[in-house]
Amino acid sequence: MSDDLSIEADWNALYVGGEWRESESGETIDVEDPSTREVVTQVPAGTEADVDAAYEAAADAQTAWAEHPPAAREQAVKDFLQALNEHREEVIELLTTEIGGTRAMGETSMQISNDHGAEAATLARRMKGEHAESNIPGKENIVQREPAGVVTVISPWNFPLNLSMRAVAPAIAAGNSVVLKPSTHSPITGGLLFAKLFEETDLPPGVLNVVTGWGSEIGDRVASHPESDVVSFTGSTEVGQHVAGLAGQNLAFPAMELGGNNAFVVTDDADLDNAIDAATFGSFIHQGQVCISINRHIVHEDVYDEYVERLTERAQALTTGSAHGADTDVGPIINESQRDQMLRYVEETVEAGATLETGGETVELDSVKDSLVVEPTVLSDVTNDMSASCNEHFGPIAPVIPFSDVEEAIELANGTEYGLSGAVHAGDLETAKYIADGMETGNVHIWDQPINDEAHVPFSGIGASGLGEYNSDAFLDEITKTKWISIQHEPRDFPI
């Protein structure tokens, strides 16, 4: 295929065994620009036969790839990063067109992807084993670290570039082969783009394979394929539970980052200027379509009214519209289903007694029928059990819940099945740390907002937010296996 990475390029092929090929079905899936509601390109609707071919290619290539020296595996990832950055503007425009990502979202995705790629490249040299002493005289114990084998990556639509990168790049650096199944809503930036960019490297055929298609038709085959040794999935808890169950049938390791309902706690003595700045970003960047965005603002009653007023002013000041607009802060939701669900949550929350301070409607766009842009929304007088707060609303919606003391704030923050991320703003570090320690979640950020990801720091969720860990050595442990080899240097005595 051409090295053109624009949306006008030919994206209608699967990447299997180092070759671009048509789907067995010959059918395609339309890719729609959420800003304009226009079909901008098509990708293949892969079949189970295409999935099988991808896994066969991955299994055939993996052993030889694992035998490549660490420097070669490291270089493949570095070359991929170089290619990615050479096409920086094209990639950002693809994110805008395919998923409605604003310029800020695209730049954030590039920054995080570079971080994950740079960290992944180092993993090739960190595939180290160890020696362990033995209780048996004359025995030597060697523990070797080896690639797991074939790693399945099922990536989401909301941040497809960096959330694919954090699994694909480490897996390849560690000597695994990969079958990548991107979301149907982001088949290019979460999948086919990776194939095109890795073609600019010396990666051997079959090490990376990309199959696009409807999840309802090939998802189960991907998640349950017998050649798969690790299944990396990012998405909703409901789907993740199903995927993990299918992976478990083959005893493949399930690395799951699932849903979140993240709390943003603000005490009475917090710096409200900093808190409001963080709250605005944490609620409204990428239209709130971030698993680690702020889902609930939990604010002390003494500063509650001021907080609501100031957050409402900031929400109203945000620029809404097409993601192609240079100054757009809040662009479109990915599709009608997501938009309608979040608006129902808002409506149900108001019906339950909350106050709609601003937002709650769609924003009409010129020449666009049935706009997907949702107004930045602030809700006050909210309780933990209302629809917009007890559900992961995944939109530009900020429910604000009052509390009276620190213990109540912790209880409210923990009043959910999820445990992915969170943030705390307090007047002193001791109080902030006390609240952070009490929050039952995988990540907490003091004097910041919950959308943070650094490739060298472990990232995990608890409860309904997932299984396993991503990033650095934590994810390296999941995409590798250890083998114990013992050497009995001296004859040993046996009891029989």
Side-chain angles (χ1 to χ4, degrees):
M1 294 179 78
S2 167
D3 61 357
D4 180 8
L5 299 187
S6 71
I7 198 66
E8 290 80 18
D10 180 11
W11 296 102
N12 191 17
L14 307 173
Y15 190 67
V16 177
E19 296 180 351
W20 294 96
R21 51 180 279 179
E22 294 183 358
S23 167
E24 288 282 339
S25 69
E27 297 179 359
T28 60
I29 298 172
D30 289 341
V31 176
E32 180 183 287
D33 183 334
S35 292
T36 66
R37 305 304 307 273
E38 297 174 347
V39 174
V40 289
T41 192
Q42 294 178 319
V43 299
T47 66
E48 290 193 357
D50 295 318
V51 171
D52 290 343
Y55 279 99
E56 181 180 354
D60 288 346
Q62 192 273 320
T63 300
W65 176 240
E67 292 173 352
H68 277 61
R73 303 198 306 272
E74 174 187 30
Q75 193 61 47
V77 175
K78 287 183 174 179
D79 289 345
F80 174 85
L81 279 181
Q82 180 177 343
L84 175 67
N85 287 292
E86 286 174 353
H87 295 284
R88 174 185 177 85
E89 291 305 315
E90 293 167 277
V91 172
I92 291 176
E93 183 58 28
L94 279 175
L95 289 165
T96 296
T97 304
E98 186 176 42
I99 63 167
T102 62
R103 179 77 191 187
M105 179 271 176
E107 291 178 345
T108 299
S109 293
M110 285 293 295
Q111 181 270 316
I112 298 174
S113 295
N114 273 284
D115 188 31
H116 279 289
E119 178 71 12
T122 70
L123 298 183
R125 298 177 187 265
R126 287 153 60 183
M127 294 277 291
K128 299 177 181 179
E130 62 180 359
H131 277 72
E133 292 187 11
S134 175
N135 291 318
I136 300 172
K139 180 181 287 295
E140 178 185 9
N141 288 320
I142 302 171
V143 180
Q144 296 180 179
R145 183 173 295 277
E146 301 175 349
V150 178
V151 175
T152 298
V153 179
I154 305 173
S155 64
W157 56 261
N158 60 329
F159 271 83
L161 181 68
N162 52 281
L163 293 178
S164 295
M165 175 74 84
R166 72 170 180 179
V168 171
I172 288 174
N176 300 282
S177 59
V178 172
V179 174
L180 172 57
K181 162 61 176 78
S183 166
T184 310
H185 298 298
S186 56
I188 298 173
T189 50
L192 297 172
L193 173 65
F194 282 76
K196 280 197 175 185
L197 293 176
F198 265 113
E199 274 203 313
E200 299 186 25
T201 76
D202 292 329
L203 192 72
V207 176
L208 174 66
N209 306 273
V210 181
V211 181
T212 59
W214 298 106
S216 58
E217 296 181 5
I218 64 171
D220 283 4
R221 184 60 176 166
V222 171
S224 65
H225 204 281
E227 289 287 1
S228 179
D229 298 289
V230 178
V231 178
S232 167
F233 172 84
T234 304
S236 71
T237 298
E238 181 182 7
V239 177
Q241 289 171 325
H242 179 66
V243 169
L246 292 173
Q249 292 176 11
N250 293 314
L251 301 181
F253 183 86
M256 306 278 120
E257 187 205 318
L258 307 178
N261 187 334
N262 311 297
F264 183 81
V265 178
V266 181
T267 66
D268 58 340
D269 58 350
D271 183 330
L272 283 191
D273 290 338
N274 288 339
I276 293 294
D277 284 345
T280 303
F281 178 88
S283 281
F284 302 120
I285 187 69
H286 195 34
Q287 297 74 261
Q289 298 174 123
V290 193
C291 54
I292 49 177
S293 66
I294 300 171
N295 207 89
R296 293 168 296 147
H297 299 245
I298 299 175
V299 180
H300 194 277
E301 57 191 13
D302 288 352
V303 293
Y304 184 85
D305 291 342
E306 180 183 357
Y307 183 93
V308 169
E309 180 181 356
R310 293 178 64 177
L311 183 61
T312 300
E313 290 173 353
R314 290 291 293 273
Q316 292 171 337
L318 295 172
T319 302
T320 58
S322 166
H324 297 283
D327 299 324
T328 298
D329 297 312
V330 176
I333 301 304
I334 189 67
N335 58 35
E336 293 176 24
S337 175
Q338 291 283 331
R339 179 202 62 190
D340 293 348
Q341 182 184 64
M342 65 183 64
L343 290 176
R344 279 197 302 273
Y345 288 154
V346 172
E347 182 180 353
E348 291 168 358
T349 300
V350 172
E351 290 175 352
T355 301
L356 180 65
E357 299 287 344
T358 190
E361 301 288 343
T362 56
V363 177
E364 295 304 315
L365 301 182
D366 292 341
S367 303
V368 177
K369 182 180 180 180
D370 198 21
S371 166
L372 295 175
V373 178
V374 172
E375 294 175 334
T377 300
V378 177
L379 295 159
S380 63
D381 305 315
V382 180
T383 60
N384 235 15
D385 58 354
M386 293 180 179
S387 290
S389 52
C390 68
N391 294 293
E392 183 183 24
H393 54 65
F394 225 60
I397 301 167
V400 191
I401 303 170
F403 72 88
S404 58
D405 58 49
V406 166
E407 298 304 330
E408 184 185 10
I410 294 172
E411 182 180 359
L412 287 168
N414 293 338
T416 174
E417 64 178 334
Y418 300 103
L420 192 55
S421 192
V424 179
H425 283 254
D428 62 89
L429 182 58
E430 183 179 0
T431 301
K433 186 66 165 55
Y434 178 82
I435 296 171
D437 286 340
M439 293 172 69
E440 297 168 357
T441 185
N443 313 278
V444 186
H445 305 281
I446 293 173
W447 298 326
D448 197 357
Q449 45 73 47
I451 306 175
N452 286 277
D453 185 10
E454 297 187 42
H456 63 290
V457 181
F459 183 100
S460 63
I462 63 174
S465 289
L467 295 169
E469 295 180 289
Y470 283 92
N471 299 0
S472 195
D473 290 339
F475 192 56
L476 180 63
D477 287 342
E478 296 176 3
I479 55 175
T480 58
K481 57 190 177 185
T482 55
K483 178 186 287 186
W484 173 26
I485 297 176
S486 75
I487 305 171
Q488 187 65 42
H489 291 286
E490 301 173 5
R492 59 180 289 190
D493 295 328
F494 298 99
I496 59 172

